[in-house]
């Protein structure tokens, strides 16, 4: 699970639920509209930051996806696994 928190209030604003194992990293897209997570479930997922809905799942690694990042233009996802 990844969670989005308000700095001002400390309140949890959104929970990104859908991975079947630990979330190992989470980053914002360049425009702040999406969140990209990487998980021990061997997948990365792209989420809507405003709704928490999963927009896309990137699967195919044989091990845990340790990190995932978006390209500067937000058009590509780079993942790294064990």
């Amino acid at each position: 699970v990844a969670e989005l928190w308000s700095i001002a209030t400390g309140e949890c604003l959104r929970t990104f639920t859908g991975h079947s194992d630990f979330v190992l990293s989470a980053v914002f897209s360049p425009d702040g509209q999406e969140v990209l997570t990487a998980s021990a479930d061997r997948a990365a997922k792209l989420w809507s930051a405003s709704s928490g809905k999963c927009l896309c799942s990137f699967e195919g690694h044989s091990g845990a996806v340790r990190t995932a990042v978006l390209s500067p233009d937000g058009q590509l996802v780079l993942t790294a696994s064990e």
Side-chain angles (χ1 to χ4, degrees):
V1 173
E3 295 180 323
L4 178 65
W5 299 85
S6 167
I7 292 173
T9 66
E11 174 186 5
C12 180
L13 303 174
R14 194 101 46 253
T15 300
F16 304 96
T17 305
H19 284 290
S20 61
D21 209 336
F22 296 106
V23 173
L24 299 171
S25 74
V27 296
F28 278 104
S29 63
D31 64 6
Q33 298 300 305
E34 292 89 26
V35 172
L36 180 65
T37 56
S39 172
D41 68 3
R42 301 181 296 179
K45 293 184 183 286
L46 187 66
W47 311 84
S48 165
S50 61
S51 72
K53 177 183 175 186
C54 182
L55 303 174
C56 190
S57 186
F58 305 96
E59 301 175 11
H61 281 279
S62 59
V65 179
R66 297 272 184 186
T67 188
V69 294
L70 288 128
S71 60
D73 64 3
Q75 298 301 304
L76 299 171
V77 171
L78 177 66
T79 59
S81 69
E82 296 179 335

